């Protein structure tokens, strides 16, 4: 049972008091796309720029010292947030997409070749799916996809068969942004490691919404985005096991990521700085650390329980109508994304009508086009919930869907 004070939380998000669509209360249900930002995080960004803005990595003046310490400490905090040990296991990127590209190009391009296999799942986001496709094409490796079952779970029997001694990397989404499926990433890590393959877990929809422990999972790499967990855009996080980041070639080259440069060659800085070329995401890193404090004050278990209750309620209310198809596992066994279609109403039309009632959801393929092909639908509408949403907002969603139903049935 969740124990979080939604009203107190909502008071930290002025945007939630906005009116849209000619005076309608905003009902923001597009959290899988990006979350809203509490005053505490906005204030942290403003405070940095107002009080100690400076370039980092140990300039000799006080501002640089303050900014460097705050930025470096943010790495420790984000590492610990997902169960890592310290800054040497936490690289700040631009977003989850860049984290995927970093490993796929810095490791995959150098290590993969003909005969090697990368095993993904049918529910992967384009951030990993397209990236590994490209690296496989450039290296002659092969990409395989673990199928999903009819009720939206990963087919684990197929996973056991498909991950073999030819597998070099398994990339799996922890919580699907389209189906809401929560994948058994620990079991998949065991299977991958039994075949001496690495596992990269895409945690973009998991780290913001539930307790994550990368050591318990035994993930080799784990990626997530700041903007989905109350943080600013422009920062992502790549957790990597210490020894893997130490051995990994850099992804981007330039200042800060070097140790010594001559006209002939260069040597590299230690992780994570080896992977943070140029002036890094200083304000974003400091603000994301503030977002972690906010989330941990509320409690990740409380956030998960709150979301699961809202998700189950929304699932039950939507599927009470025979003309609604919700994709993915049952309402009591999923993450906080609910993708659905209403017979006779295209997802884009539905989203636009819901907007007229103040309800903000997403419509389209949610960067999972192959998954939509597998589902046999061109698009879906998606409602996604977070710690500041309420049952009344689910009611507003369901009522607006009913308005659309009426509109399209006449
Ligand atoms: C599972 C998963 N994996 C990777 C990403 C990419 O995150 P970025 O911060 O955009 O790089 C996302 C972001 N999904 C958004 C934008 S498509 C959605 O509306 O579902 C995701 O959900």
């Amino acid at each position: 049972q969740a124990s979080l004070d939604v009203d107190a939380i909502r008071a930290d998000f002025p945007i939630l008091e906005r009116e849209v669509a000619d005076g309608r209360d905003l009902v923001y249900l597009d959290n899988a796309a990006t979350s809203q930002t509490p005053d505490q995080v906005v204030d942290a960004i403003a405070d940095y720029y107002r009080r100690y803005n400076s370039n980092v990595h140990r300039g000799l003046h006080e501002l640089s010292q303050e900014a460097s310490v705050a930025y470096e400490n943010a790495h420790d905090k984000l590492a610990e947030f997902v169960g890592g040990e310290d800054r040497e296991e936490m690289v700040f990127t631009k977003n989850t997409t860049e984290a995927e590209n970093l490993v796929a190009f810095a490791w995959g391009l150098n290590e993969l070749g003909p005969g090697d296999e990368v095993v993904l799942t049918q529910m992967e986001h384009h951030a990993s799916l397209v990236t590994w496709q490209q690296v496989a094409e450039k290296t002659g490796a092969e990409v395989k996809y673990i199928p999903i079952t009819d009720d939206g779970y990963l087919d684990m029997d197929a996973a056991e068969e498909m991950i073999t001694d030819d597998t070099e990397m398994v990339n799996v989404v922890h919580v699907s942004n389209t189906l809401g499926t929560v994948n058994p990433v620990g079991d998949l890590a065991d299977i991958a490691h039994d075949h001496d393959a690495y596992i990269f877990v895409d945690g973009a929809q998991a780290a913001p919404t539930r307790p994550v422990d990368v050591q318990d999972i035994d993930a080799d790499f784990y990626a997530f985005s700041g903007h989905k967990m109350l943080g600013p855009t422009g920062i992502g996080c790549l957790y990597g096991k210490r020894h893997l980041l130490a051995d990994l070639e850099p992804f981007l080259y330039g200042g800060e990521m070097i140790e010594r440069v001559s006209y002939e060659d260069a040597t590299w800085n230690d992780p994570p700085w080896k992977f943070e070329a140029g002036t890094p995401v200083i304000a974003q890193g400091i603000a994301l650390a503030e977002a972690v404090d906010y989330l941990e004050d509320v409690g990740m278990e409380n956030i998960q329980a709150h979301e699961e209750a809202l998700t189950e309620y929304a699932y039950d209310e939507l599927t009470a109508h025979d003309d609604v198809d919700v994709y993915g596992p049952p309402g009591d066994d999923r993450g906080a994304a609910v993708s659905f279609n209403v017979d006779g109403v295209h997802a884009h039309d539905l989203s636009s009508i819901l907007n007229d009632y103040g309800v903000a959801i997403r419509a389209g393929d949610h960067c999972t086009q192959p998954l939509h092909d597998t589902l046999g639908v061109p698009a879906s509408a998606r409602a996604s919930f977070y710690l500041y949403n309420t049952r009344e907002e689910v009611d507003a969603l369901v009522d607006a869907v009913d308005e659309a139903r009426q509109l399209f049935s006449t």
Side-chain angles (χ1 to χ4, degrees), residues 33-38 41 78 81 92-96 204 207-208 223-237 284-285 287-289 291-292 295 386:
T34 200
S35 65
Q36 296 302 339
T37 314
V41 170
L78 267 296
F81 177 62
F92 285 167
T93 61
K94 186 165 72 256
N95 48 33
T96 299
F224 52 102
S225 293
H227 67 93
K228 298 182 195 286
M229 51 180 281
L230 311 186
T233 52
I235 184 166
C237 295
Q284 295 91 331
L288 186 54
V292 167
L295 289 169
Y386 209 7

Side-chain angles (χ1 to χ4, degrees), residues 167-185:
T167 308
E168 296 299 325
M169 173 67 76
V170 175
N171 194 116
V172 58
V173 64
H174 194 164
V175 176
S176 168
N177 66 314
T178 297
L179 300 175
T181 311
V182 182
N183 287 316
V185 289

Side-chain angles (χ1 to χ4, degrees), residues 104-280:
F105 282 86
W107 172 82
L109 220 48
N110 294 317
E111 301 297 330
L112 293 175
D116 293 335
E117 295 179 356
V118 175
V119 174
L120 310 181
T121 77
Q122 284 185 335
M123 62 176 91
E124 290 313 301
H125 185 281
H126 294 166
S128 54
L129 193 149
V130 177
T131 307
W132 286 111
Q133 259 181 8
Q134 286 301 309
V135 167
E137 189 179 310
K138 293 175 189 329
T139 58
E142 184 187 355
V143 175
K144 297 161 78 171
Y145 300 92
I146 302 170
I148 60 173
T149 61
D150 292 344
D151 47 1
Y153 291 101
L154 212 48
D155 181 338
M156 288 303 286
D157 293 337
E160 292 269 9
E161 285 168 26
M162 294 174 77
I163 300 171
T164 69
D165 290 346
D166 292 332
T167 308
E168 296 299 325
M169 173 67 76
V170 175
N171 194 116
V172 58
V173 64
H174 194 164
V175 176
S176 168
N177 66 314
T178 297
L179 300 175
T181 311
V182 182
N183 287 316
V185 289
D187 296 343
L188 285 159
D190 292 345
I191 300 170
H193 293 152
D194 286 348
H195 295 280
D196 292 330
Y198 293 120
I199 184 158
F200 189 135
V201 179
D202 170 354
Q205 299 294 342
T209 64
R210 60 194 55 229
V212 167
D213 184 338
V214 290
Q215 298 190 54
D216 181 51
I217 296 167
D218 198 13
D220 295 304
F221 299 102
Y222 194 99
F224 52 102
S225 293
H227 67 93
K228 298 182 195 286
M229 51 180 281
L230 311 186
T233 52
I235 184 166
C237 295
L238 173 66
Y239 161 83
K241 283 181 179 174
R242 189 185 307 278
H243 70 279
L244 296 178
L245 291 181
D247 294 344
L248 193 57
E249 281 299 300
F251 176 45
L252 299 174
Y253 296 89
E256 312 295 353
M257 55 75 64
I258 50 89
E259 180 188 56
R260 183 79 185 86
V261 182
S262 70
Y263 287 119
E264 287 70 37
D265 62 11
T267 56
W268 312 134
N269 202 338
D270 295 328
W273 323 121
K274 174 168 72 168
F275 301 104
E276 298 189 12
T279 298

